[in-house]
Amino acid sequence: VSVESQADALRHKQQQEAQQPMTQKGPQRKVLVEKEHFDAAFHGQCWTLREGWWTYEWCYDKWVRQFHEDKGIFLSEYLLGLGLKALEVDAIGKRKVQYADGYRSLLQKLERQPDPKANG
């Protein structure tokens, strides 16, 4: 049996498996999702996870950050990654949080803009 025929047989088997509906039982397999469907499902969404001292926030195509807050004030924050739309001004980008030195959006913080109310 040639290498080409083995490769063809494997491709055929993978195509057949991909066409069968997934069930709870059986082997795990990857499911490819069209980018448009993924964007439609997650655009404008953020999720947070609190793990002890830290909170992690993932905003789709914008950023992943780790922060600690106490009584609603962000005391420390680390950007773990920026997405392609991190600097896009939208509802998520305009959302302001209270830092120890005033209220700013993450966009303002990235651009190092001071709190506009700080100077009275």
Side-chain angles (χ1 to χ4, degrees):
V1 179
S2 71
V3 173
E4 291 85 17
S5 63
Q6 288 177 342
D8 287 339
L10 181 59
R11 269 189 240 107
H12 180 71
K13 182 180 176 187
Q14 289 173 339
Q15 288 173 347
Q16 285 180 330
E17 287 176 354
Q19 291 174 358
Q20 296 175 1
M22 290 182 61
T23 63
Q24 291 293 336
K25 298 178 183 177
Q28 294 283 335
R29 60 179 183 188
K30 294 180 181 177
V31 177
L32 299 177
V33 178
E34 295 291 327
K35 184 173 179 357
E36 297 82 35
H37 291 84
F38 196 82
D39 287 345
F42 293 106
H43 178 74
Q45 302 283 333
C46 292
W47 289 268
T48 58
L49 171 68
R50 187 176 301 263
E51 284 292 319
W53 178 267
W54 295 109
T55 300
Y56 299 89
E57 178 183 61
W58 173 57
C59 294
Y60 174 69
D61 221 7
K62 290 197 159 281
W63 55 73
V64 176
R65 68 177 166 175
Q66 170 185 352
F67 59 89
H68 172 69
E69 68 175 316
D70 186 30
K71 299 178 184 167
I73 300 172
F74 279 48
L75 300 176
S76 57
E77 174 183 46
Y78 299 96
L79 284 172
L80 305 178
L82 292 174
L84 296 174
K85 298 180 181 176
L87 298 178
E88 194 173 277
V89 179
D90 60 6
I92 295 171
K94 291 180 192 177
R95 185 181 62 197
K96 292 189 178 188
V97 296
Q98 184 176 1
Y99 294 94
D101 62 346
Y103 287 87
R104 286 191 304 286
S105 69
L106 185 58
L107 294 179
Q108 288 173 319
K109 188 168 183 181
L110 287 171
E111 295 170 354
R112 301 193 189 281
Q113 295 179 11
D115 178 4
K117 296 178 185 174
N119 294 331

